[in-house]
Amino acid sequence: MYFGLTDEQKMMQDVARDFAQKEILPTLKEDEANHTFRPELVKKMADLGFFGCALPEEYGGNGCGFLESVIIAEQLAMVSGSSRLPLNMQNIGPAITVNKFGTTAQKERFIPDWVSGASFGFFAITEPNSGSDVVSMGTTATDRGDHWELNGQKMWISNAHLGDWGLVYAMTDKSKKYQGMTCFVVNLKGNEGIITAPIETKLGLHCAPTGEISFSQAKIPKDSVLGEVGQGFQICMFQLNNTRISCAAGALGIGGSAVEAAIGYANERTQFGKKIGSYQMIQAQIAEMVAEHEAAKLLVYQAAWLKDQGMPNQYQTSMAKLFASEAAVKAACDTMKIFGSYGFSTEYPAERILRDSMSLRTVEGTSNIQKTIIAGIALGDVTNR
């Protein structure tokens, strides 16, 4: 098998790397310290075509697929783990999901604005008491005849307080459990029944806006339903299987930045008259980091390639997300060890890399959930899709 990138993919990789170095890195320390999100960067990403992957050209697609999106996300996360999130909010999450399940009118109305950055996207699944157990969510949508009424609360939602149009999952019939969930396309702005608030007490991803959404008798139009009433769980699982690959790509970037930082410091720092990279224990740490990073890359790229071929990939996607996330956290921890006391300083990237990496074990399905999915398919209890 040939694992090289095409000339077009290399060009996309170079464009993303150049963007991260020139547009994100110069203000990164200041932005991290002040938890600053720069909306203008999202528009610049859109102008470069970052959000058009795996979408038809008539809705703003660029002819690229999931693999190209992975390549972009990896390069952005190499500089800042926060900078990968717009790919999920504008492209891999809402846009691709609406393209799969939406009506022609919904596709024409929403996808071009997400792709162009004219509208900030989001998707709201998690709640204060509902995480991995999605069906236990308490948010409800009630048919009031001429509109739907939303009630409930969503938590840890990216772009919650900044988002325009996005996807909200709610129970329309709790007695039906999995068959009682429905997905809605919702506008968070200008609705007196919707209140949003930022969450700023986060360990990492300081430049990625996160918040909560409260619905109190919020009225949304009848044509807000995505797909069919009761199809929400299927839509949710489809979406998560896609956004997971973006998370795995982010893990590649964060893990890659940890490897790069550790190697650079090991070649620079001297102790006992020799650079610390000449000591076997440091070499062993770096060797494991490099090997695990390269293995993660193969898994992530394979899963993305399978998606682009329209082949079953849930098994491979969960393996990629699990392995890449855990490898990134391990690499970040080892990088802190190699940096020693300087790892604690915000003057060096080690502490930020570690903080950002810790989110990877949770977002888009925890590591334990990925193990459950992998084991279920491996044991033959569930079909790979």
Side-chain angles (χ1 to χ4, degrees), residues 319-366:
M319 283 194 288
K321 198 273 181 180
L322 171 65
F323 191 88
S325 298
E326 295 296 333
V329 172
K330 183 175 181 296
C333 289
D334 284 346
T335 297
M336 284 290 290
K337 294 176 187 176
I338 290 171
F339 269 74
S341 296
Y342 286 108
F344 262 63
S345 172
T346 56
E347 291 299 310
Y348 291 86
E351 59 87 26
R352 172 178 55 79
I353 293 170
L354 178 61
R355 288 188 290 100
D356 286 351
S357 73
M358 297 306 292
S359 70
L360 299 167
R361 287 172 163 168
T362 302
V363 295
E364 315 310 312
T366 65

Side-chain angles (χ1 to χ4, degrees), residues 268-348:
E268 170 189 306
R269 176 74 166 170
T270 60
Q271 288 291 281
F272 304 103
K274 296 191 298 183
K275 65 178 184 178
I276 62 173
S278 66
Y279 293 102
Q280 287 183 335
M281 281 190 284
I282 300 295
Q283 290 176 349
Q285 288 175 315
I286 290 176
E288 288 183 5
M289 292 165 65
V290 169
E292 290 172 1
H293 179 66
E294 290 301 315
K297 181 176 292 187
L298 291 175
L299 284 170
V300 176
Y301 281 27
Q302 177 197 37
W305 181 84
L306 288 170
K307 289 179 185 292
D308 287 332
Q309 307 310 307
M311 298 171 65
N313 62 80
Q314 185 184 27
Y315 189 49
Q316 290 81 5
T317 298
S318 285
M319 283 194 288
K321 198 273 181 180
L322 171 65
F323 191 88
S325 298
E326 295 296 333
V329 172
K330 183 175 181 296
C333 289
D334 284 346
T335 297
M336 284 290 290
K337 294 176 187 176
I338 290 171
F339 269 74
S341 296
Y342 286 108
F344 262 63
S345 172
T346 56
E347 291 299 310
Y348 291 86

Side-chain angles (χ1 to χ4, degrees), residues 121-158:
F122 68 93
F123 53 90
I125 305 171
T126 303
E127 299 183 359
N129 295 311
S130 174
S132 298
D133 184 9
V134 175
V135 180
S136 70
M137 67 173 56
T139 298
T140 60
T142 306
D143 188 343
R144 296 301 187 191
D146 61 341
H147 67 275
W148 288 94
E149 180 182 290
L150 280 176
N151 288 283
Q153 185 178 14
K154 298 294 183 179
M155 193 80 167
W156 301 111
I157 308 303
S158 294

Side-chain angles (χ1 to χ4, degrees), residues 8-9 48 111 114 144 152 180 211 260 297 301 314 340 381:
E8 291 78 9
Q9 289 167 342
L48 289 170
I111 297 177
W114 286 323
R144 296 301 187 191
E260 188 177 83
K297 181 176 292 187
Y301 281 27
Q314 185 184 27
D381 298 329

